[in-house]
Amino acid sequence: MKIDIVTLFPAMLAGPLGESILGRAQAKGLVEIRVADLREWAEGRHRVTDDYPFGGGGGMVLKPEPLFRCVEALRRPGARVILLDPQGRAFGQEVAAELARAEHLILLCGRYEGVDERVREHLVDDEISIGDYVLTGGELPALVVTDAVVRLLPGALGDEAAPGKDSFGRGLLEGPHYTRPEEFRAWRVPEVLLSGDHARVARWRRAQSLWRTWRRRPDLLETAELTPEEQKLIEEFRQGKKPDA
Ligand code: 9D3
């Protein structure tokens, strides 16, 4: 996979892209991530990328020419051009999985009041928002999208952690995790986890995961695919029962 990120602030991206799983996925050749400086695609001595809005009003608008020139130079057949924008469709795990199937993503980071509408209409295939809060630009959203997509590429996480098996992959929250020591400041690790009884541990984990989801994110239970035993546990929670500690 290839991901190009187009921005006026390339330094906001360079550090995070080189670290951890994103850095390792690139080193393994699973993905090639490149940052394009939009200013380099602007013309004239001053390389102007924005201008005043027609019709007046405050703020600045990204000009179309540098974005078109840049994307037309970068795009390969089948590329998906995505504008990070507060008005875009809501990003989530399903959108990440959909994007992970593409061969080439071009992520355009918006800034200022927005981009010239002709960019949305004639250059961009899709517009994505990462949530209902106001950021200063599309750079951090581009990193969020890149991170969520790259970890889904086969081999990106190493073999011990398959992305489909984590609880969000199943649409549930995870229960608690513990590591050594068994006792820390008199707080003990739940006995079941030390029991060596794998079936009991699996049942406990599933009950904990469901309990946490029911308490914190009941909305997730509307769409999660639950087994009959899991549905029975939820029914017991409704009747006031708590999971075994
Ligand atoms: C003053 C202009 N704003 C009116 C409320 C519109 C606006 C445009 C551009 C507000 C923020 C931004 C910068 N944000 C993004 O480019 C952005 C974003 C976000 O702010 N929140 C969640 N997802 C995203 S994706 C891109």
Side-chain angles (χ1 to χ4, degrees):
M1 175 181 240
K2 191 162 184 270
I3 303 177
D4 285 296
I5 307 177
V6 179
T7 173
L8 283 169
F9 300 94
M12 282 184 78
L13 303 164
L17 292 173
E19 294 290 329
S20 184
I21 288 168
L22 287 181
R24 226 166 313 131
Q26 291 172 89
K28 288 183 189 170
L30 301 176
V31 60
E32 186 185 334
I33 306 174
R34 292 215 294 227
V35 179
D37 184 348
L38 183 61
R39 188 166 289 276
E40 291 179 8
W41 298 89
E43 287 203 308
R45 199 163 67 80
H46 298 289
R47 301 207 174 271
V48 175
T49 54
D50 61 348
D51 205 340
Y52 300 96
F54 274 121
M60 300 295 273
V61 176
L62 285 182
K63 293 166 65 62
E65 306 94 315
L67 282 164
F68 272 83
R69 221 179 276 126
C70 176
V71 168
E72 284 165 358
L74 295 177
R75 80 181 317 164
R76 299 180 309 174
R80 282 187 67 168
V81 182
I82 297 168
L83 177 67
L84 284 310
D85 188 276
Q87 298 171 20
R89 66 174 171 141
F91 189 64
Q93 195 59 33
E94 320 75 54
V95 179
E98 180 193 320
L99 298 184
R101 289 196 291 270
E103 269 186 52
H104 186 195
L105 298 177
I106 300 177
L107 306 180
L108 307 181
C109 305
R111 276 272 153 178
Y112 310 106
E113 298 308 292
V115 302
D116 187 283
E117 189 66 17
R118 289 162 292 191
V119 170
R120 292 181 203 272
E121 286 179 342
H122 304 295
L123 188 64
V124 158
D125 301 310
D126 206 353
E127 302 177 27
I128 288 178
S129 161
I130 64 162
D132 293 337
Y133 34 80
V134 183
L135 301 171
T136 57
E139 284 75 15
L140 295 176
L143 283 174
V144 167
V145 168
T146 299
D147 193 89
V149 166
V150 169
R151 72 181 285 287
L152 292 175
L153 300 179
L157 296 183
D159 10 73
E160 82 277 7
K165 288 181 99 184
D166 54 35
S167 59
F168 236 92
R170 271 204 67 202
L172 298 173
L173 302 184
E174 283 183 6
H177 300 286
Y178 292 90
T179 187
R180 286 186 290 188
E182 278 179 33
E183 183 172 314
F184 170 68
R185 299 186 178 176
W187 298 304
R188 293 205 44 85
V189 171
E191 179 274 330
V192 54
L193 296 178
L194 311 174
S195 69
D197 182 341
H198 298 305
R200 212 177 131 222
V201 169
R203 270 198 310 278
W204 182 84
R205 286 202 170 129
R206 200 166 47 163
Q208 291 290 325
S209 159
L210 284 169
W211 173 252
R212 196 165 272 194
T213 307
W214 186 68
R215 293 301 298 255
R216 300 186 183 193
R217 293 291 308 276
D219 58 299
L220 295 178
L221 295 172
E222 306 293 327
T223 47
E225 290 183 23
L226 301 180
T227 65
E229 294 97 292
E230 289 170 336
Q231 285 166 9
K232 188 166 155 254
L233 282 166
I234 297 292
E235 188 48 42
E236 289 172 358
F237 298 159
R238 286 203 183 96
Q239 288 162 14
K241 192 161 183 266
K242 292 180 179 173
D244 302 328

